[in-house]
Amino acid sequence: MTHPPLGRRLGVLGAAALVLLSSSCGLSGTTTGSSPDGAAGACGAPAGNADDKPISGEVKGEIKFVTQGLKADFAGFFEPLIKKFETEHPGTTVKWEDSPADATDARMIADAANCALADVINAPLPTMKALTDAGALMAIDKKLPGVGAAFVPSVWDSSALGKDGAHTALPWYWGPQILTYNKKIFKEAGLDPAKPPATMREYFDAARQIAEKAPKGTTAFWGNPRWQLIPDWHGMKVKAMNDDLSAFTFADDPNAQAWFQGYADGYRNGAISKDSITGEPDPSQTYIQGKLAFGSTNASFLRTVKDNAPTVYEETGVAPAPREPGARTFLNAQFITVNKSTKHPAAALEFAKYVTSPESQLAWAKDPKVVIFPTTAESLKDPFFATPSDGGPFGEARAVAAKEALDAEAWLPAIYLDNSAIANAVLGQLQLAMQGKVSAAEAIKAAQDEANKLLKTIKS
């Protein structure tokens, strides 16, 4: 796996899933002592779970903890972690269950429909947003005052999903985007390997020069930008949607227009391999062969390069991902939340806080089987990131990514942009522009029109 560690997992609930999740949580009904929004009330939420008062009561009882795609590889980390929590809180039992990453949405729909959501839930931002809108989650910052102080400020501030800025989920692990590039190809193209592109416009300019001057058979960047669409647009400060997220607006944004044009030009001038635009979005194998100037934006991919192409590895440069001045790093994270209907709120909240604590996040980041980055500021400042033992490109990448993580933010338009149908609509039009069948201007306008039609279906 050379994509962002543990899978991309930003994911998004499809149109049917959003509708089913909202309706199945019981938005139309309330019960005595239930939450005012009715969602948790229909599942019998205790009255104290829905108010804005700090949680009280003993940390005890049996709680269910559901993660996505972790148990197969990381039982050795989480089982002792859970045992330690249980030991520190006598009378508490944590039952850990795990779902495949691609089955999370279906499980959430079924569990919500049957009032069977786990007490503590791990899911990506879109799922958290849907559960929040359905009224199924606690306002964790209200129940645990000060809980946000441990997180990177920009991460915490941008992760408020609930009404009036309430935080219904705690940020967890993720992988910042970085820039990886072949310094040998840079030199052959007359580019300075010590000065990699800092913005996407510089990136496209460098790609054009590589196409013109690098040896035959060399290309600059990958033609299927499925993994790059969201981080590129966020880094370019694209106004992707209006303020209330009710419509896409990117067709009028000059930065989005430049992105479309950059890919269209790259295809025509040879900066992009023609057989890469409809293939997998993973550039790793071509990069390993020494035929691609820009590699994966994921730090963990460099392990694969080191193991399979040591010569290319030694020629690999690492830098922050290109973005406009003032743009923050895009946060593509997993989150932890607490079901508003839990019968053991003190235990569920304390466990959610425990799993996402600086100590727990740093301990998992140090697991040799994974390349992840914490969302807690204290963890990211640990020498493990600042002075990694591997002094090569992989070590450099970890240090760069950790520094980038200290200035990250969630981006709510990503919830909708990463919907498979919407992303395919945008990228399908981009392919037409790359192939010269329509202009970039025509393609971006058609992409927005298609995306807005799909958005209406999702929100209906």
Side-chain angles (χ1 to χ4, degrees), residues 154-172:
S154 57
V155 167
W156 180 251
D157 292 345
S158 63
S159 299
L161 302 176
K163 185 179 180 182
D164 299 324
H167 285 77
T168 54
L170 302 178
W172 199 17

Side-chain angles (χ1 to χ4, degrees), residues 393-413:
F394 179 66
E396 294 175 22
R398 180 149 47 196
V400 167
K403 185 176 180 180
E404 295 287 280
L406 288 167
D407 191 37
E409 66 177 3
W411 192 45
L412 294 186

Side-chain angles (χ1 to χ4, degrees), residues 127-397:
T127 307
M128 291 301 183
K129 178 62 174 169
L131 289 169
T132 296
D133 290 348
L137 306 180
M138 278 194 192
I140 300 178
D141 54 341
K142 306 294 185 184
K143 310 309 289 183
L144 293 176
V147 69
F151 298 95
V152 172
S154 57
V155 167
W156 180 251
D157 292 345
S158 63
S159 299
L161 302 176
K163 185 179 180 182
D164 299 324
H167 285 77
T168 54
L170 302 178
W172 199 17
Y173 69 90
W174 68 300
Q177 298 264 322
I178 60 170
L179 181 73
T180 61
Y181 59 99
N182 187 312
K183 293 185 287 187
K184 180 174 179 288
I185 294 175
F186 263 49
K187 294 173 187 175
E188 292 171 339
L191 295 167
D192 185 350
K195 295 180 180 179
T199 68
M200 283 304 297
R201 284 178 172 80
E202 291 180 4
Y203 179 90
F204 291 132
D205 287 344
R208 182 177 62 253
Q209 187 165 330
I210 290 166
E212 292 172 352
K213 298 183 178 181
K216 186 177 179 180
T218 301
T219 52
F221 62 103
W222 203 242
N224 182 349
R226 181 65 181 89
W227 291 349
Q228 294 307 118
L229 170 64
I230 292 171
D232 280 0
W233 282 20
H234 177 264
M236 295 180 78
K237 303 176 79 171
V238 169
K239 179 68 173 175
M241 302 184 76
N242 57 12
D243 291 340
D244 64 2
L245 305 182
S246 62
F248 286 104
T249 58
F250 56 81
D252 295 323
D253 189 284
N255 288 327
Q257 294 166 3
W259 188 83
F260 262 73
Q261 192 65 56
Y263 270 88
D265 290 345
Y267 184 84
R268 285 195 293 270
N269 65 29
I272 294 174
S273 171
K274 289 181 169 49
D275 60 5
S276 70
I277 70 169
T278 57
E280 291 296 317
D282 187 354
S284 302
Q285 289 305 311
T286 303
Y287 185 86
I288 285 172
Q289 296 167 8
K291 299 178 180 179
L292 189 67
F294 293 107
S296 172
T297 57
N298 164 33
S300 65
F301 125 94
L302 291 173
R303 280 183 169 175
T304 304
V305 181
K306 183 178 182 180
D307 292 342
N308 295 279
T311 301
V312 176
Y313 179 76
E314 292 300 323
E315 290 289 350
T316 295
V318 176
R323 61 177 184 265
E324 293 298 308
R328 296 184 183 275
T329 302
F330 169 61
L331 178 77
N332 176 22
Q334 288 285 303
F335 290 77
I336 295 289
T337 192
V338 176
N339 178 7
K340 192 183 287 184
S341 296
T342 178
K343 300 302 188 290
H344 303 288
L349 285 162
E350 189 65 24
F351 185 68
K353 180 181 176 181
Y354 175 76
V355 170
T356 58
S357 70
E359 297 79 12
S360 295
Q361 290 207 41
L362 180 60
W364 191 23
K366 290 183 176 181
D367 188 312
K369 293 187 295 184
V370 69
V371 181
I372 57 171
F373 294 82
T375 51
T376 46
E378 179 184 332
S379 307
L380 288 164
K381 294 175 182 177
D382 188 88
F384 174 74
F385 296 109
T387 54
S389 57
D390 182 349
F394 179 66
E396 294 175 22

